[in-house]
Amino acid sequence: MNVKDVIYNNFVTWMDGDAENGDIVISSRIRLARNLREIPFPHLLDQAKGEDCLKIIKGAWQESPAYQQGQMELETFDHLSSLDRQMLVEKHLISPGHAETNSSFRGVVLNQDGSLSTMINEEDHLRIQCLLPGLQLDECYTLAQGLDDELESQLEYAFDERRGYLTACPTNVGTGLRASVMLHLPAMQMTGQTNQILQNIGQLGMTVRGLYGEGTEVAGNFFQMSNQITMGQTEEEICTHLRAITVQLVEQERLLRERLQVDLKYQLEDKIGRAYGILSHARIINSNEALSLLSDVRLGIDMGILQGIKPNDLNELVVAIRPAHLQKRAEEEMDATGRDIKRAQVIQEKLQGIQ
């Protein structure tokens, strides 16, 4: 297994829509920020210090059971093209900011199905991530913590007895843990309740972002919710709090879906049918419109209005229509119009293939 196998594989683990509450909770993620003691944070590294940092991290990886058993592979960004790195972003395996440079001391560690990854020299020296389908925060934490323990046995982390783990951004100091869930909440949007609900979430210590995290807008009724506080709570308390809020949102979304099916049955079915029709026949479609229509189709699948399509298919499609994946599929660079044409073709091929 190598990193490019994961990049070019259409399916990674978080796309499995059959997990707990997978009709509304697309995925769960735990991310642990860690830094090496007495080494400058990544934004302060020059080439020489960056190479030294990478050498220390590589040495620790080579001693870990996951590496020795061939379960995980490390690749530096000077061996990955800009397109490869962007495809990792579109699969949610690295951050947009991490992908911007091809530096030889920045890189990524991945396992075979993309469920475990580690960004090297992103904002912090190490960002250990576990990404699983549905509502599996506890499972994510167990796997991420296990990998963290393996590395900590070989590395000396920057840690303060009073403050906890030290990080480049002060908002991550403490546990260094960010827990998040990706939610699909179309009924809340349709009934105009989203703004009030998101305001309430903020008062509970959570923040909501778009499909690709910080700095991205909400599209296709997909929301990423995560904790704002990393200090003063244990890792278990953070996960428990997020899980409890997520369960409440899932219950509310389900109630709203039931209400829509009773009160606006024909309007709902018409909206879903039109979305499916446009996706099946459009010759050109931009990313935002495609995500919006796929959201409607997904709602139709989850509510039993549309048959024969699996949530997995749509999860794969949401990634397959992103710019880097489209260009990889076409084997050429494309402008915005070219991507919009190719996007329509990819969607039609996928829908026709699963009918």
Side-chain angles (χ1 to χ4, degrees), residues 103-274:
S103 167
S104 61
F105 59 83
R106 288 182 168 85
V108 65
V109 178
L110 290 172
N111 70 349
Q112 295 177 352
D113 60 9
S115 59
L116 273 174
S117 64
T118 299
M119 290 180 279
I120 299 174
N121 287 324
E122 191 233 26
E123 186 175 79
D124 297 289
H125 296 141
L126 294 166
R127 286 202 161 180
I128 300 165
Q129 173 180 282
C130 182
L131 186 61
L132 294 175
L135 185 53
Q136 298 192 76
L137 287 168
D138 293 341
E139 293 83 352
C140 282
Y141 175 68
T142 298
L143 290 171
Q145 188 62 54
L147 188 55
D148 182 41
D149 289 343
E150 288 183 16
L151 292 174
E152 193 165 16
S153 68
Q154 301 294 326
L155 297 170
E156 189 175 3
Y157 283 158
F159 183 83
D160 180 84
E161 289 296 332
R162 186 164 64 89
R163 298 181 178 87
Y165 291 101
L166 305 181
T167 57
C169 180
T171 60
N172 291 323
V173 170
T175 61
L177 182 145
R178 291 285 178 180
S180 66
V181 290
M182 185 69 69
L183 300 162
H184 182 230
L185 304 173
M188 289 188 189
Q189 285 281 69
M190 291 179 190
T191 55
Q193 298 193 31
T194 305
N195 289 339
Q196 182 60 51
I197 289 170
L198 296 187
Q199 184 177 347
N200 294 340
I201 288 172
Q203 295 173 354
L204 294 171
M206 297 294 160
T207 185
V208 177
R209 301 185 172 100
L211 195 60
Y212 287 93
E214 188 171 0
T216 62
E217 297 294 326
V218 172
N221 302 314
F222 294 104
F223 301 81
Q224 187 180 116
M225 180 173 66
S226 63
N227 63 299
Q228 289 182 315
I229 299 170
T230 60
M231 184 181 288
Q233 294 180 315
T234 67
E235 291 90 340
E236 292 81 3
E237 288 171 341
I238 292 171
C239 293
T240 298
H241 186 48
L242 177 58
R243 181 183 176 85
I245 295 173
T246 302
V247 168
Q248 291 179 20
L249 287 175
V250 168
E251 291 174 353
Q252 191 159 3
E253 172 70 15
R254 288 217 173 97
L255 288 172
L256 291 173
R257 291 183 183 190
E258 291 172 6
R259 187 184 303 172
L260 284 172
Q261 202 157 24
V262 172
D263 297 342
L264 298 169
K265 173 180 169 61
Y266 293 106
Q267 294 91 328
L268 179 65
E269 291 178 356
D270 181 72
K271 180 179 179 64
I272 291 167
R274 287 174 183 269

Side-chain angles (χ1 to χ4, degrees), residues 308-321:
I309 307 173
K310 297 180 179 178
N312 298 16
D313 297 320
L314 292 192
N315 288 341
E316 288 184 43
L317 201 46
V318 166
V319 173
I321 62 173

Side-chain angles (χ1 to χ4, degrees), residues 60-91:
W61 276 114
Q62 290 169 354
E63 295 298 322
S64 71
Y67 181 88
Q68 293 177 353
Q69 294 168 14
Q71 297 172 351
M72 303 192 78
E73 184 74 22
L74 186 155
E75 189 66 88
T76 53
F77 281 178
D78 55 334
H79 293 142
L80 296 176
S81 68
S82 175
L83 191 66
D84 290 339
R85 299 195 301 273
Q86 191 57 39
M87 289 175 73
L88 287 172
V89 172
E90 292 173 355
K91 285 185 168 74

Side-chain angles (χ1 to χ4, degrees), residues 283-326:
R283 299 296 299 276
I284 182 169
I285 189 167
N286 65 40
S287 180
N288 284 339
E289 183 184 10
L291 283 173
S292 178
L293 294 172
L294 285 170
S295 171
D296 292 341
V297 169
R298 184 185 181 94
L299 179 61
I301 295 165
D302 293 338
M303 297 180 70
I305 295 170
L306 292 176
Q307 305 292 330
I309 307 173
K310 297 180 179 178
N312 298 16
D313 297 320
L314 292 192
N315 288 341
E316 288 184 43
L317 201 46
V318 166
V319 173
I321 62 173
R322 303 301 296 175
H325 278 78
L326 290 172

